[in-house]
Amino acid sequence: MLHQTTKRSDDADRAYEAAIAADPNAAIAYNNRAWLATERKGNLNDALTWAKKAVELGPKVATFYDTLGAVHLGRKEIDPAVAALRTATSLAPASPDYHYRLGLLAEACARKSGQDEAGARHEDAALQHYRAALVHQADHGLAFERSRRILVAHNDLGNLVRMLESAAQAASGQARSWAH
């Protein structure tokens, strides 16, 4: 992971390849190679193979499902991406990032659905996921901002005020839920 985080992605890819060659059961190497390929917008067919192998080797590891979801999303496969992220969330329900990514996917589905009833359901689901992210990490700025944008767009001032109050209370150490 060091090579990957220092932006030396070619070195990281070679290191993951070598780790897999040395140990064909190195689930983390498959996972990280899939994540790297997805971030680089590389060969997503290989990334899917690697992500599935990581899940096969570590079926109880939430981050592997997160990676699988990211690969599916990179391939524009929304339903499998949602399924993988739901599994990640069920394995690690306190992870705010999995809830946040599910919110992003729900927003994407809302945009695709348009202004009809299905779009409204997807936007509501997005808000629920962002709220869950904020429950687990009150200072999750991305989830806060996405929630704020949806509430403002729909002129939902009551929930917007409650969200802002909750954020202020969380900052002072007195968190409470803003969903009504």
Side-chain angles (χ1 to χ4, degrees), residues 48-73:
L48 183 60
T49 299
W50 298 325
K52 285 181 175 180
K53 183 67 172 179
V55 165
E56 175 188 320
L57 293 169
K60 300 290 185 195
V61 181
T63 56
F64 295 171
Y65 289 95
D66 180 42
T67 298
L68 181 59
V71 173
H72 280 301
L73 186 58

Side-chain angles (χ1 to χ4, degrees), residues 86-150:
R86 283 187 177 149
T87 301
T89 303
S90 71
L91 291 169
S95 173
D97 291 333
Y98 302 155
H99 291 287
Y100 172 72
R101 284 193 269 286
L102 278 169
L104 291 176
L105 284 170
E107 275 195 272
C109 291
R111 283 189 298 277
K112 185 177 179 182
S113 295
Q115 299 297 320
D116 63 4
E117 188 177 316
R121 280 194 313 272
H122 288 300
E123 277 198 339
D124 186 55
L127 274 173
Q128 296 306 317
H129 290 298
Y130 296 144
R131 286 176 180 148
L134 290 165
V135 163
H136 296 293
Q137 183 185 335
D139 65 346
H140 197 294
L142 297 171
F144 181 87
E145 180 59 19
R146 300 304 307 182
S147 296
R148 186 197 64 76
R149 287 181 184 192
I150 292 172

